Amino acid sequence: AQPPSLPPPLPPPSLPPLAPCPLGDVCTTGPCLITDGGSCATSPDFPNDYPNLEGCTLYGMPPVGLDVIAFDVEGDEYPYSDYDGDGDFRNDCPDYLTVNGVKYCGTSG
């Protein structure tokens, strides 16, 4: 018997341009929250699960180190699926965090 075929990957959504962020502020698109005077970012309803099909972009952040308190995104249900279409299924996960162009999945970073 052959293994079930996987659905084709969806193309990545195109992102609208970011709105201007006032100097010294940290801004966001989407439902993420900026707290503690701009020093903390959380997904909506943290520490509970985040909503399906949501995403956000944080910008206007100062060029300092990132201190991660908690990080856990959904794992890859289909580990051989090429979600981003680059031909390499090993660097894919349906949910991820990207920092300075580096993608982080699961709980590692």
Side-chain angles (χ1 to χ4, degrees):
Q2 289 201 341
S5 61
L6 300 175
L10 297 173
S14 59
L15 299 174
L18 298 175
C21 187
L23 186 62
D25 284 355
V26 174
C27 298
T28 182
T29 65
C32 291
L33 304 172
I34 306 294
T35 62
D36 296 336
S39 65
C40 186
T42 66
S43 59
D45 206 24
F46 177 81
N48 299 311
D49 290 346
Y50 54 89
N52 287 328
L53 305 174
E54 289 286 355
C56 64
T57 299
L58 306 175
Y59 61 104
M61 298 172 57
V64 297
L66 181 64
D67 187 15
V68 177
I69 306 300
F71 171 70
D72 186 4
V73 296
E74 192 171 354
D76 188 356
E77 184 176 346
Y78 303 105
Y80 297 104
S81 195
D82 183 20
Y83 294 100
D84 61 11
D86 70 353
D88 185 359
F89 63 85
R90 295 168 298 176
N91 68 351
D92 290 344
C93 53
D95 295 336
Y96 54 88
L97 170 68
T98 304
V99 178
N100 295 329
V102 178
K103 187 188 302 185
Y104 299 95
C105 302
T107 58
S108 65

